[in-house]
Each structure stands twice: as structure tokens, then as C-alpha cells.
Amino acid sequence: MRDQLLIGGTWRDGADGERISVLDPATGEELTTVASGTPADADAAVSVAAKAQVGWAKVAPRERGEILRNCWKIMLDHQDELGELITKEHGKPIADAKGEIAYAAEFFRWNSEEAVRLRGTIGTSPNGANRIIVHHPPVGVVVMVTPWNFPAAMITRKVAPALAAGNAVVIKPAKETPLTALRVGELLEEAGVPPGVVNIVPTQSAGPWFEAATANSATRMVSFTGSTEVGRVLLKRCADRVLKVAMELGGNAPFIVFNDADLDAAVEGAMVAKMRHSAETCTAANRFLVEADVADDFTQRLAKVMADVQVGPGHEAGVGCGPMINAGAVQSIDSLVNAAVGEGATVVTGGEIVDRAGFFYAPTVLADVTPTAAINHEEIFGPVAPVVSFTDTDDMIRIANNTEMGLAAYVYTADIGRGMSVSERLESGMVGLNRGAMSDPAAPFGGMKQSGLGREGASEGILEFCETQYIATQW
Ligand code: SIN
């Protein structure tokens, strides 16, 4: 297991010898420790990346693409090992963890194909005086700050397009889940990524680390996935140096069910949208808005399936919901549930912390939740489904859009015309229409409003890591 910093192709301890304690969330016990990078290490990594980037940008796009394809292949060859590592440090069920590796690897395959299709344009100025040539050089060094909920995929979704475009990167993985990141870094080098192009520097002092990484004049861009609260702080820091930014921030997804929907399909979709990866996703269904005449039926069916979900350590057979990431997460979920109940919600199933070692919360369904309850306005990041009923579509859309977030939304109806028109009225970067899952490396992932800036994946993803240069000339 790699437990040091990866800088310039070498493994080393942090400058001050400090270590990060990595916990097993299924027991609360320490799994291992990992070197913690200092501000000096972050600065050194950016300088190393800047040197490596010059050579990497000169590698022919086809060759870069082939190296990225090797990265896809090597991750799949190590799917079991990487999946087990994710389950150890994050806790998610092993099937989800292995699924995450397939998803994570796919960003390399997709971007191996994008590397050779990064096209510009050529036009003639309206007065005919000159040609307008537009092309897309890489931005240079990108600092990436990634979350713990997808220890592999939220790294590869950034690294693959960044590398395809010819950038070098310095990654600060979440301190809760550095082991997967370090192993992925090692595999990328085995797959042919030159030393220094991908640097991985975990730290337990995120603030000073980020200050140092962004103070280095070679840093040109910051790509962050995490909460809106932290995103705001990083944006302010980036403003000082006018850095290019890409931000994937929080969500508060409504899951809308009309009375004509196929309720079996809606419950199946709800389980995917709510519970995948132990309900710790920013696309998770956060609020269920159900048409009043089917609200009770939907709630009872959902509660039955939620009550059957086996909660436990992710490596155990049959487990559908692993531990939450830490004790604080469990407390915050419990406070939201208690506050909703205090405001009149009914617990249909769950509603409590699981009484065992580790950080577990019971899959929960709440009925009769008021639209104003805090649980409808904060990201739960846990296995709790609050149900609010509605009678009027316009009111429901007002409730759905009554949030500063706008990442994901879900709509279930048998009337595809209604589904499309409601989808278009939702202030949300992504909509699952009669689908509980929408994540796909070939689709632009990202949010409206305070859910983020920019898109990851699809052909938009690679452009985020590029400059646009225009050359005026004539002949
Ligand atoms: C996230 O929760 O941050 C990402 C979810 C996904 O890619 O499916």
C-alpha cells in the first residue's frame, strides 16, 4: 500500500514528517497512516509539474491518447484491488466500489478519444481583412482538490481530460481517502504517464497547502469537487491570482413523481438515485416531491425497500449501505432527521443511528415533511428520503427550484411531453427523466446556480482544461 507523497515520479515523506491517520469507517479504528504534505511540498509539486508539463504538451495527441488508453486498461486490470481499497477507506459496498473503478477508468478511455479531436476553427473576419484562427492550448499546471465520496472517479474525471489536453496536475486527495489516490497515481505511471505529469500530495492541513499551491506562479487553474461552502473559500483565493476555475459543488436534487408514473420503476429509480455509493453522492435525490394521490403508496413502497437494505461493512456479502465517512456525518444526518420530526414529519422506517461500532445510519423514509423543513434545504449526504406531497405542478416546480443548488433532478411520469417540459423548467444542470442514474463520462456533468462552474466529461470536459487562443493573420 503506497503511503507517501508522489512528486516528480518519486515517493517521499512530507517535509515535516507528519502523518495523516486514515480510519476504517466501518469500525472507527485507524487503518494506517499516510505522509502529510506541507505547504513546501505543495509548492515543490507545482514546480515539478510545470517542468514536466512542457514535455507532455509536446507529446503527439495520438501518443497521449494511447497512454490514456493504457490508463483505462490498467485500472480495469486492477479493478478488484482498487475496489477493495475504496471499500477499506471509504466504506461503500464492494459492488459499488468496483463499479466506481469501471466508471473512473472510463474517463481515460473517453478522453483517449478526445485527445485527438481537440479541434479549433478558422474563419474570415467580417470585413474580409484577415483570417481568424482559433485553437486550444493546454492551460499548464492544474491544482486539483478532490473529495472522499468517489476516491477514484472524482480524480480521473479531472485528470483524464487535463492530461488529454496536455496539462500536468497536482492533486490533493481528501485526507479521508488518500490510499486509492496514491495507488491510482502509481498505476498511471506504470501505464506510461511520465514522472511529474501527475503528482499526488495528500495533506491534513488543507488551507495552508492550497495557499502554497496557488501562490506558485506556475499554477494556472484550480479544479475542485466538494461542498459549496468550501468552493466559495477556494474561489476567493483563486480570485487573488485570477486563476481559471472549475467547480463541482453541492446538490439538493428533487426527485419528482407524478401520479401517472410507473411506481415500481419510480421506486427502483429512487433507490438508485438515493442509495448508490451509500447515499453519499452530490447527485443523490435529496427531496422526494410526490403527487398527493400517489404519495402514500409511493412512500410505503419506498419504505419497504429501504427497510430491507442491509447496513454493514462494505466488504460483507449482501450489504447495500456501508458506513458514513465519519462520526460528524452521522451526527449531522441525525440532527436533520430530528429537526424534521420536530416540525411534524413521520418516521416511516429508520430514523436512527445504528447501534454498533463505526459510523452507520439506518436507511430512513420520512413522510409528511414540510417544504420548509431544513432537511429539504440542506444536502443530507446520507440514507434519508424525505417525502413532500404536491397537488399543483407550478407549485411543485417552485418548491423544486427553491434552492441555491442546481446540480441534479429526477422526474418520473408516463407522459414524456410533460416530463420534457418539467425537465426544461427545472434549474438543474442534469435531469434524469424516468432514470435514477445519469452519470456518464460521455455526458457533461455539472450544475447551475451555486452547484458549480463548468462541466466535466463529454467534449465540454476537455475544453475546461484549455485556453482559447485566436490568431489574426492574412495571406
Ligand atoms: C458526486 O457525487 O460528486 C459525483 C456523482 C457521480 O459522478 O455520479
Side-chain angles (χ1 to χ4, degrees):
M1 204 147 51
R2 285 294 182 183
D3 64 356
Q4 290 176 298
L5 318 178
L6 175 60
I7 300 180
T10 59
W11 296 93
R12 61 173 176 82
D13 287 332
D16 64 5
E18 291 286 307
R19 313 276 303 168
I20 303 168
S21 172
V22 183
L23 298 187
D24 173 356
T27 61
E29 306 288 321
E30 186 177 88
L31 262 180
T32 186
T33 65
V34 161
S36 175
T38 63
D41 295 315
D43 178 57
V46 172
S47 297
V48 162
K51 283 203 188 81
Q53 192 266 333
V54 176
W56 178 245
K58 287 188 188 139
V59 173
R62 172 68 73 203
E63 201 182 323
R64 284 205 300 266
E66 272 158 13
I67 292 172
L68 293 185
R69 202 171 162 90
N70 294 342
C71 296
W72 164 68
K73 176 83 174 50
I74 204 165
M75 284 193 72
L76 290 184
D77 289 347
H78 292 79
Q79 186 173 13
D80 289 350
E81 176 208 333
L82 289 168
E84 277 151 27
L85 208 45
I86 289 181
T87 293
K88 272 201 182 102
E89 61 180 349
H90 173 279
K92 66 179 73 175
I94 190 71
D96 277 347
K98 290 184 187 174
E100 177 182 340
I101 295 305
Y103 177 46
E106 191 58 31
F107 287 103
F108 284 113
R109 181 159 63 163
W110 173 265
N111 283 287
S112 74
E113 293 153 357
E114 289 299 289
V116 292
R117 291 187 175 75
L118 190 54
R119 298 213 170 90
T121 57
I122 178 166
T124 303
S125 64
N127 64 8
N130 61 282
R131 298 295 165 88
I132 296 170
I133 299 170
V134 178
H135 73 125
H136 298 290
V139 289
V141 175
V142 186
V143 168
M144 301 181 164
V145 178
T146 59
W148 48 261
N149 64 338
F150 283 81
M154 293 306 101
I155 290 179
T156 62
R157 189 158 77 188
K158 298 177 188 304
V159 170
L163 265 51
N167 300 284
V169 306
V170 176
I171 305 162
K172 185 194 86 56
K175 67 179 189 313
E176 293 83 354
T177 56
L179 301 172
T180 309
L182 294 170
R183 181 67 178 129
V184 168
E186 184 174 30
L187 290 174
L188 300 190
E189 292 203 341
E190 274 177 53
V193 174
V197 170
V198 173
N199 304 278
I200 306 187
V201 187
T203 184
Q204 58 190 357
S205 308
W209 185 106
F210 189 75
E211 290 272 321
T214 50
N216 188 315
S217 61
T219 295
R220 293 292 158 76
M221 177 174 175
V222 167
S223 177
F224 170 67
T225 296
S227 70
T228 298
E229 197 186 351
V230 174
R232 278 191 207 105
V233 175
L234 302 192
L235 276 169
K236 284 183 188 144
R237 168 70 191 158
C238 291
D240 290 341
R241 287 212 40 237
V242 195
L243 293 174
K244 191 167 164 46
V245 291
M247 297 268 144
E248 293 298 343
L249 307 177
N252 181 4
F255 188 104
I256 297 157
V257 182
F258 283 99
N259 62 7
D260 62 351
D262 171 343
L263 286 195
D264 289 334
V267 169
E268 201 183 317
M271 289 303 289
V272 176
K274 180 75 248 178
M275 295 299 285
R276 63 191 271 273
H277 303 271
S278 299
E280 293 174 309
T281 68
C282 54
T283 50
N286 208 54
R287 312 167 275 158
F288 291 78
L289 307 179
V290 186
E291 201 155 14
D293 45 355
V294 293
D296 193 46
D297 194 3
F298 174 83
T299 306
Q300 295 306 327
R301 291 187 200 209
L302 182 64
K304 186 170 180 313
V305 189
M306 286 284 267
D308 283 347
V309 172
Q310 193 177 317
V311 177
H315 61 266
E316 283 182 9
V319 164
C321 184
M324 303 295 97
I325 194 68
N326 54 33
V330 175
Q331 285 307 331
S332 124
I333 296 164
D334 199 43
S335 305
L336 286 171
V337 169
N338 290 337
V341 171
E343 286 185 50
T346 313
V347 175
V348 188
T349 186
E352 60 191 7
I353 297 173
V354 177
D355 186 17
R356 60 178 292 168
F359 312 127
F360 295 93
Y361 201 84
T364 297
V365 175
L366 301 176
D368 313 316
V369 181
T370 56
T372 53
I375 203 160
N376 284 321
H377 296 277
E378 287 181 34
E379 200 171 11
I380 305 169
F381 242 69
V384 179
V387 182
V388 178
S389 67
F390 73 87
T391 47
D392 177 78
T393 299
D394 290 340
D395 277 349
M396 178 277 289
I397 287 175
R398 256 192 301 282
I399 292 169
N401 288 336
N402 183 20
T403 162
E404 287 304 332
M405 303 302 154
L407 187 63
Y410 305 85
V411 181
Y412 272 77
T413 173
D415 177 346
I416 200 74
R418 169 157 72 174
M420 284 301 300
S421 98
V422 167
S423 298
E424 287 181 357
R425 293 175 66 192
L426 292 171
E427 296 165 353
S428 169
M430 299 176 283
V431 181
L433 177 50
N434 293 324
R435 276 189 64 77
M438 71 232 329
S439 304
D440 187 332
F445 186 103
M448 296 181 182
K449 303 199 282 190
Q450 293 194 29
S451 284
L453 298 167
R455 293 294 181 271
E456 292 185 336
S459 43
E460 285 88 342
I462 191 168
L463 284 174
E464 294 286 342
F465 294 101
C466 295
E467 294 285 2
T468 293
Q469 188 183 48
Y470 137 62
I471 300 170
T473 187
Q474 78 266 357
W475 52 79

